[in-house]
Each structure stands twice: as C-alpha cells, then as structure tokens.
Amino acid sequence: MVTSMDSICNIIGIDRVDMSKRMVLIEEQHGCDANFLVNALISNALKKDYGICFVLFHNTFSHYHNVGIRSGYNLMTLKEKGKVALVEPMKELMHNINGICMDTDTMDIGNRIFSNLYVKVSDSSKDNRFNGMTMVDNMFKLIRDNHNEMASQNKTVLIIIEDISHLSDLGLSLRDSMYYIRYIRSLMESHPMTQLCVTVHTYQNDVKSCILDFICNNLKYIADLVLIAEPLVTGHSSDASGKITVCWNVDSVRSEYHWTEKMTYLYKLLDWHVKIFAPGATTFVT
C-alpha cells in the first residue's frame, strides 16, 4: 500500500535520485510544521537500507519514534540493531552543566561540550571571551564518533541535523554555525556514501538582521535540494495547512527528470498522514 510518506518522497524526487553525497536543506518558516518532510527523508533512507544518525536540537527521539510507528518503522528496534545512532547536544550540555556544578570528575573531559569555553582576551586582562569554536569542535566530535561507528556497520548513512536554529540560542555566531556545517561537510567528503539533511526554523520578519535567515540563505547555496515549508499568505484555510517549494540545485538531476527550477505544492496535515496537492487541484495526491 502506498503511504503518504511514499507520495511525499515521489513528489520531491528523493525516491528516484541517488541521495548519497547529497545535502538537503529544509527551511521551516515560522507558523508551519515541516516535520513531515524530515519523516519522508527518514522513510526513504530506511527503504534504501541507510543507517541514520540523528542530531536532535529540538524534538526528542521519542517524537520521531512515535511518528515512525505510524509510518511503519520502529526506530527503537532499529537503534538496538545498530541502524540508528542518536546525538542529543542539548542533553549533553545539561549533563555537562550538572557535572560542572557538582564539581565531579566522573565525566570524560573529552566529551565535555562546555570544556574550555572561555579564553582570556590578553594575559594581563581578567576579561574572558566566549570561545564558540571550542563548543563547535566538541559538538562535532560527538557527531563524528557516532557517525563513524554507524558507517562501520552500514554502507550508507543519513545524518539529520534537526533545527540548527538552536545554535544561536547557545550563543554561537553566524561564523561558528557555518563552521559547524563545514565540519560535517568535511566528514561527508571522507565518507562519500553519507547523506546530510539540515533543518532551519526561520521567521522572515527582518531578513537583513535575523541570524537564522542568514544561516538558511547561506545553506541554500550549498544544498543539492532545498525544501521550503511556509504558511499560507492568506492565513488559515480548512483545505490546506501550508505550501511546499521544492528546489533542486543540481542541473543534471533537473534535466534528467524534466523538473523546473522550482515546484510548488500545497499540503494538508491530518492526524495520521499528510496530503499533498498542486495549487488549484480539486483532488489530493495521497
């Protein structure tokens, strides 16, 4: 039976294109929910026997597990089988903070995301400056170690960086955030069977001053596939929840499948599935 995830994969084209070495950017504009696009990539990757490395900044692993159960796969079981790895930087940070506050040495200092985060401005100064690159290095090591273990058991791996927007909440600059992506891209270069998906939540209020919009716009230049979920301009509708724009930045892919530079669809979120349809269509693609 064809599921809504199958339909979404077919519409955005990832079921036909070899996604290894590809980067997918999902922009979730404020006021809409793009989780179903992430779930479509997960479903497609599992059908192609990918291992999956989750890097979760926002939702919990339980959230994706519950969605997976409704879509026909069990992430908990797959995790036990070595098909799924999990990195939760926010939980690691909380664990680090608790360890520092309790002044315990039970935690390996190599795994401390918060280790040596402040550097002196000068030897004679007592001022300390936040060292975002140290945090970036430490967070990347968590991904690298989990990815390498996953790659040793699976030929192909999908890395999902879920809601990179939260890097700014940790005090990281635009430069730090982009270095984080560059590190992961370098990891893909050394493991060419790796696919990367990055999600960003944007607000579209003041594009010139919003760091999240800057991050998203920079990533659009390096992503092979850009998926944009945005709310309806007209506001609430009982027929549609929002709009999806599909942008393949690879000329050879667009030429092979005769896709235009931008393809636009409407979507409707329901309790158990998602319906996709073309603007003006009278029936849903389910």
Side-chain angles (χ1 to χ4, degrees):
M1 181 179 69
V2 178
T3 67
S4 60
M5 290 297 104
D6 295 324
S7 301
I8 297 170
C9 293
N10 182 261
I11 286 172
I12 63 181
I14 58 175
D15 60 337
R16 285 163 281 178
V17 178
D18 180 6
M19 297 303 294
S20 58
K21 298 187 292 185
R22 304 286 189 191
M23 174 179 170
V24 180
L25 171 66
I26 299 178
E27 177 186 356
E28 179 186 71
Q29 293 186 8
H30 190 64
C32 65
D33 184 353
N35 275 323
F36 68 95
L37 294 172
V38 180
N39 295 324
L41 264 70
I42 294 171
S43 178
N44 181 69
L46 291 176
K47 285 188 176 183
K48 296 180 178 179
D49 201 31
Y50 276 59
I52 299 180
C53 181
F54 285 96
V55 184
L56 304 181
F57 284 96
H58 187 76
N59 290 306
T60 64
F61 182 66
S62 296
H63 163 80
Y64 286 101
H65 170 72
N66 292 335
V67 173
I69 292 297
R70 290 183 287 181
S71 301
Y73 54 85
N74 188 315
L75 290 179
M76 292 291 188
T77 300
L78 291 170
K79 187 171 182 290
E80 294 172 358
K81 294 180 178 179
K83 297 293 293 183
V84 170
L86 179 62
V87 178
E88 294 178 291
M90 294 303 187
K91 285 190 177 181
E92 291 290 338
L93 286 169
M94 183 59 66
H95 177 64
N96 292 177
I97 292 171
N98 289 339
I100 292 170
C101 291
M102 295 174 64
D103 195 25
T104 63
D105 296 323
T106 57
M107 180 174 48
D108 181 1
I109 194 168
N111 292 326
R112 289 184 179 179
I113 295 178
F114 271 147
S115 64
N116 302 322
L117 281 185
Y118 289 87
V119 294
K120 288 187 177 181
V121 176
S122 66
D123 293 337
S124 61
S125 173
K126 294 182 180 180
D127 293 332
N128 287 336
R129 182 174 295 166
F130 178 72
N131 186 358
M133 286 305 300
T134 298
M135 182 181 287
V136 169
D137 290 341
N138 293 341
M139 287 196 297
F140 171 70
K141 289 174 184 176
L142 289 174
I143 298 178
R144 181 197 61 196
D145 294 346
N146 279 271
H147 170 271
N148 290 347
E149 182 178 352
M150 178 67 54
S152 68
Q153 302 178 54
N154 300 273
K155 182 179 179 181
T156 49
V157 177
L158 166 62
I159 301 176
I160 298 176
I161 311 293
E162 186 246 15
D163 207 349
I164 199 174
S165 318
H166 287 290
L167 291 181
S168 63
D169 296 333
L170 298 175
L172 298 184
S173 65
L174 172 63
R175 186 199 66 172
D176 296 332
S177 300
M178 294 310 298
Y179 266 110
Y180 184 64
I181 295 297
R182 286 180 62 182
Y183 282 169
I184 298 170
R185 293 278 290 177
S186 67
L187 182 66
M188 294 175 65
E189 292 294 328
S190 59
H191 294 80
M193 297 306 290
T194 298
Q195 176 190 349
L196 175 63
C197 170
V198 179
T199 72
V200 185
H201 189 93
T202 61
Y203 291 88
Q204 303 296 310
N205 290 330
D206 189 351
V207 178
K208 294 182 179 180
S209 63
C210 183
I211 187 173
L212 303 181
D213 293 329
F214 271 121
I215 292 173
C216 187
N217 289 335
N218 275 275
L219 293 178
K220 285 178 181 178
Y221 285 103
I222 62 176
D224 298 290
L225 171 61
V226 178
L227 304 173
I228 304 171
E230 53 189 299
L232 298 172
V233 177
T234 55
H236 177 74
S237 170
S238 59
D239 296 324
S241 303
K243 181 175 72 172
I244 309 170
T245 302
V246 181
C247 306
W248 277 97
N249 293 331
V250 185
D251 293 338
S252 59
V253 171
R254 291 205 312 270
S255 176
E256 180 177 357
Y257 296 102
H258 307 289
W259 290 330
T260 58
E261 188 172 348
K262 290 186 178 181
M263 298 175 285
T264 303
Y265 303 91
L266 298 178
Y267 68 92
K268 176 67 175 178
L269 297 176
L270 301 171
D271 290 338
W272 290 92
H273 59 288
V274 182
K275 292 186 175 181
I276 308 291
F277 58 101
T282 57
T283 57
F284 289 112
V285 179
T286 57

